[in-house]
Structures are given as C-alpha cells and as structure tokens.
Amino acid sequence: ETGVTQSPTHLIKTRGQQVTLRCSSQSGHNTVSWYQQALGQGPQFIFQYYREEENGRGNFPPRFSGLQFPNYSSELNVNALELDDSALYLCASSLAGRNIQYFGAGTRLSVL
Amino acid sequence: DQQVKQNSPSLSVQEGRISILNCDYTNSMFDYFLWYKKYPAEGPTFLISISSIKDKNEDGRFTVFLNKSAKHLSLHIVPSQPGDSAVYFCAASNNNAGNMLTFGGGTRLMVKP
C-alpha cells in the first residue's frame, strides 16, 4: 500500500510568483485535503477535494486554489505569493466520510 | 479565535513514567477527536481517536479520555519511551461539516532516558 507522497520537498520562490504543489493520495483514498503549517503552529485547513470538486474551504483567500484529478491526485496552486505564505504545506488523504486523514511529509515553501 | 488549544507547548517526562498531554476545545459541534504525532521532516502520523459518544479509547500504551462537559481531552502514554519524543497535535472534526480537521498548536514531548 502506497502512502501519501508530496512533491517537491522544498521550494524557494520570490514574492509575487506563483507555485504549484503536488500530492498523490494513499491507495484507495478518494478525498484530499490541504493544510498550511506555519512555524510553531498547528496545521490550518485550506480546502478539501472530493470527486474532483472543492468540498470545503478554510479561511484562505482565492489566490489559493486546487485541483483533483480522476486518479485522486491533487495540486495546490498559490498565486501572487506573499512572504507570509512561507510554511509547510501538508496534503492528507482519506476515504469520503471517514474522519481519519493520512498525511504526506509536506512541501516546505520559502517566499523571499 | 482558536477552537482547539493545547496550552502546554512542551512537556518533559522520565522514561517509564506516564505522559499526559491535554487539549481543550470551544466548538460544541465537534464530534470526533484525533491525536497525531509528528517527527521532524515527517508529516503528522495518526495515533488514536475518539468519537464524542465515548469517554475513553485505548490502544496499547496510548489512551485518550474525553470530557464533553468540560470540552477537554487528554492523551495518556504509559509507559513513556524515548521514541515517543515528538510533537503531538490534538485535532477535532465535525461529521456534518466535511470532516475538516481543526488542529491545536501542538505539545513537544521529550522523554528522557
């Protein structure tokens, strides 16, 4: 059974640029959620995708957007990067309606 | 406002003793609670969970207690081992709101040999 994998592991961007982060779900999982973890804080929910549609969203602006593909993999896109977007971005997969989510190792994004 | 709070940023315990990690929540709509463990450079790993219809769930050395009236849960690790040293996150979800997880800020547990 393959776990949740994320790429890249690290990324450095400058303010104003755009970034795409990728996630492959754990085998058999059809729901993907994205979280942002700032240094010293707990993860914060960005949004969730199910059946290729956004299924819930946290308190993040529209420049944070996502996609889910038919194979359940997912992308997180962030436009017009700001310094405060520097964080660890975590992807988690689960079965629809199930509470337990399984996390990838994350992508560390630094915005300079 | 923080709906899930872990008021102790760190905890140090001797190997073999009990570790007790605490978590408080404010949203009475939460009906499922989870604990995750996180090592550096790894993602959070699911540890144990509890539904709001229960007040205790046990899995080996790990036990989670839920006090709904106090909106408080705790994770007990007995006996603590050096390999348990990690950051522990408490999380809560509402089954009627898409199962998004709301996390606390984490508690760093250090188990000393």
Side-chain angles (χ1 to χ4, degrees):
Chain A
E1 186 178 88
T2 309
V4 178
T5 58
Q6 292 186 242
S7 62
T9 52
H10 294 88
L11 204 49
I12 300 174
K13 291 284 189 179
T14 55
R15 196 170 47 182
Q17 285 190 311
Q18 178 266 343
V19 69
T20 298
L21 311 181
R22 293 179 174 84
C23 172
S24 292
S25 301
Q26 184 165 316
S27 178
H29 286 181
N30 54 15
T31 302
V32 174
S33 302
W34 286 90
Y35 293 82
Q36 179 196 66
Q37 185 179 11
L39 203 60
Q41 299 182 22
Q44 283 201 20
F45 175 73
I46 303 175
F47 43 55
Q48 182 181 86
Y49 276 81
Y50 170 64
R51 289 188 174 177
E52 301 175 50
E53 292 201 357
E54 192 177 286
N55 187 38
R57 190 177 185 93
N59 189 25
F60 281 81
R63 58 189 186 83
F64 285 78
S65 63
L67 284 173
Q68 186 184 31
F69 300 100
N71 66 353
Y72 306 133
S73 67
S74 177
E75 285 182 357
L76 163 66
N77 299 291
V78 187
N79 292 324
L81 283 166
E82 300 176 1
L83 298 180
D84 283 349
D85 295 334
S86 296
L88 180 67
Y89 288 85
L90 294 162
C91 169
S93 73
S94 59
L95 286 170
R98 305 292 283 271
N99 292 284
I100 300 171
Q101 298 183 17
Y102 297 88
F103 285 81
T107 294
R108 170 79 55 191
L109 173 65
S110 298
V111 182
L112 306 178
Chain B
D1 66 338
Q2 267 190 294
Q3 298 187 64
V4 178
K5 283 186 184 178
Q6 295 176 255
N7 289 319
S8 299
S10 64
L11 175 67
S12 183
V13 168
Q14 205 67 36
E15 181 180 5
R17 306 295 288 268
I18 184 171
S19 296
I20 300 177
L21 295 94
N22 294 305
C23 178
D24 297 295
Y25 63 97
T26 57
N27 188 341
S28 58
M29 299 302 291
F30 288 143
D31 53 15
Y32 199 85
F33 303 88
L34 308 91
W35 284 93
Y36 283 85
K37 178 170 74 173
K38 188 177 187 301
Y39 293 118
E42 295 184 14
T45 302
F46 170 72
L47 200 53
I48 192 169
S49 61
I50 188 167
S51 163
S52 61
I53 62 173
K54 295 185 174 182
D55 55 18
K56 178 182 173 182
N57 188 26
E58 195 170 348
D59 183 1
R61 297 187 296 114
F62 302 92
T63 303
V64 56
F65 295 91
L66 175 62
N67 182 335
K68 280 201 313 184
S69 61
K71 294 191 177 67
H72 177 84
L73 65 155
S74 61
L75 173 68
H76 292 209
I77 306 173
V78 183
S80 301
Q81 299 173 353
D84 296 329
S85 297
V87 178
Y88 289 77
F89 290 100
C90 161
S93 70
N94 174 356
N95 277 325
N96 295 319
N99 299 333
M100 59 169 268
L101 297 178
T102 301
F103 282 86
T107 296
R108 182 176 299 279
L109 173 66
M110 292 162 284
V111 180
K112 295 183 284 190

